[in-house]
Amino acid sequence: MNERQQQSLMMQAGLRITDQRLALSALLFADEQPRHVTAEEVYDEAKQQGVRMSLATVYNTLHRFTAAGLLREVQVDPGRVWFDTNVSEHHHMYDEDTGQLTDIPAGSLGSVTLPKLKANKQVNRIDLVIRIGTRN
Amino acid sequence: MNERQQQSLMMQAGLRITDQRLALSALLFADEQPRHVTAEEVYDEAKQQGVRMSLATVYNTLHRFTAAGLLREVQVDPGRVWFDTNVSEHHHMYDEDTGQLTDIPAGSLGSVTLPKLKANKQVNRIDLVIRIGTRN
DNA sequence: GTGTTTGCAAAGTGTTTGCAATTTA
DNA sequence: TAAATTGCAAACACTTTGCAAACAC
């Protein structure tokens, strides 16, 4: 995704174009490959590339991107949020030893039948995480 | 589950019987109903019942119970671990508005086909969480 | 008696907040 | 110029740690 495309995504989401947001979207979306990142990780990467940005802004931006549908949060770890650039329907495999998080295409796991909900409730998201580890 | 049964569970797990552990197992396992609790919650309950116990001991005990297979951890919330007294295979529904966590029997959702793993890896657990919220 | 468990308070981790200064549109 | 965004540091919520005293076996 090129910079122009990234800009238009942000503008469509009603977000102002700032240096920091462009830098983050470059890190996250430049090569189309899905990425799983934590705030700290992105912050370090940005710093390495000489982009000046506070950690608070990283959090701020990641949340705004999430609200805009550009990212998806993944909870695999207590006390640590992962952000996934792949926002299409899919699942995850999480290696509890290495911390590595891998995408699994939706549909490759079989079907899910939803339970009945109260009329005023809706399904926000379905999280399916396969936790693996080294055989003991 | 009566106190004798709770004791034998702990002893089988190689855990010494202490007042605090008995108090917690009473809170968690006395009526057979599945419970979803956080450390803070159990701590408050214990205090209400006049059981003297530090928060550190609650964490300590919950983790030992988990390691012993008496509890299962559930990650639905960043920065907050839930413990589930239902350790049999099942899934969860999580209401993002109220924080309420509900069990869903395994098998009621359809089948899951596992991806192939490296020879030295095994599946530790499968977490399936259906996140619901109020329709907007 | 020996080794485990407890309690306390302090430290740690990841995240959020308040607010003045800066920047965008 | 008005409104949004940033950076900083302080505050936060939850969890873990270190160590002496208490306890189980």
Side-chain angles (χ1 to χ4, degrees):
Chain A
M1 198 185 299
N2 63 37
E3 188 169 320
R4 196 162 311 255
Q5 290 174 305
Q6 293 169 25
Q7 283 200 19
S8 90
L9 273 183
M10 284 191 260
M11 297 179 75
Q12 277 169 37
L15 298 176
R16 288 191 175 176
I17 311 298
T18 68
D19 292 350
Q20 292 82 353
R21 287 178 182 169
L22 279 178
L24 281 194
S25 81
L27 285 177
L28 296 170
F29 306 120
D31 38 310
E32 223 87 337
Q33 277 195 335
R35 297 204 59 189
H36 302 100
V37 297
T38 62
E40 202 81 27
E41 251 173 57
V42 179
Y43 175 60
D44 289 344
E45 270 187 47
K47 232 177 356 191
Q48 273 185 344
Q49 301 202 2
V51 180
R52 175 189 159 70
M53 182 167 8
S54 76
L55 185 54
T57 297
V58 172
Y59 275 106
N60 192 343
T61 305
L62 290 176
H63 285 146
R64 277 165 184 285
F65 280 10
T66 302
L70 273 51
L71 293 175
R72 162 179 166 178
E73 293 186 11
V74 185
Q75 259 122 46
V76 283
D77 229 344
R80 203 180 171 77
V81 181
W82 291 79
F83 294 86
D84 188 347
T85 62
N86 180 355
V87 293
S88 68
E89 200 194 325
H90 69 286
H91 310 306
H92 291 105
M93 185 156 65
Y94 181 65
D95 189 319
E96 298 189 321
D97 298 327
T98 65
Q100 194 179 29
L101 193 57
T102 320
D103 281 353
I104 299 176
S108 63
L109 293 181
S111 60
V112 169
T113 312
L114 294 177
K116 289 190 194 98
L117 299 180
K118 293 194 182 141
N120 61 331
K121 295 286 181 180
Q122 66 182 350
V123 172
N124 289 343
R125 192 166 94 220
I126 298 179
D127 285 345
L128 174 50
V129 179
I130 299 181
R131 302 180 156 267
I132 66 172
T134 303
R135 192 185 297 279
N136 41 8
Chain B
M1 198 186 299
N2 63 35
E3 188 169 321
R4 196 161 311 256
Q5 290 174 306
Q6 293 168 26
Q7 282 200 21
S8 90
L9 272 183
M10 282 191 260
M11 297 180 76
Q12 277 169 37
L15 298 176
R16 289 194 172 171
I17 311 299
T18 68
D19 291 351
Q20 292 82 352
R21 287 178 181 169
L22 279 178
L24 280 194
S25 82
L27 285 176
L28 296 170
F29 306 120
D31 39 308
E32 223 85 338
Q33 277 195 335
R35 296 203 59 188
H36 303 100
V37 297
T38 62
E40 201 81 29
E41 252 173 58
V42 180
Y43 175 61
D44 289 344
E45 271 188 45
K47 231 174 5 187
Q48 273 186 344
Q49 301 201 3
V51 180
R52 176 188 157 69
M53 182 167 9
S54 77
L55 185 55
T57 297
V58 172
Y59 275 106
N60 192 344
T61 305
L62 290 176
H63 284 146
R64 279 166 183 284
F65 280 10
T66 302
L70 274 51
L71 292 175
R72 162 179 167 179
E73 293 187 9
V74 185
Q75 259 121 47
V76 284
D77 230 343
R80 204 182 170 77
V81 181
W82 291 80
F83 293 87
D84 189 348
T85 62
N86 180 354
V87 293
S88 67
E89 199 194 326
H90 70 285
H91 308 305
H92 291 106
M93 183 155 67
Y94 180 65
D95 189 319
E96 298 189 321
D97 298 328
T98 65
Q100 194 179 28
L101 192 58
T102 320
D103 281 354
I104 300 176
S108 63
L109 293 182
S111 59
V112 170
T113 309
L114 294 178
K116 288 186 195 103
L117 299 180
K118 292 194 183 143
N120 61 331
K121 294 287 180 178
Q122 66 182 349
V123 172
N124 289 344
R125 192 166 91 220
I126 298 179
D127 285 346
L128 175 49
V129 179
I130 299 181
R131 305 180 153 268
I132 65 172
T134 303
R135 193 185 295 279
N136 40 6

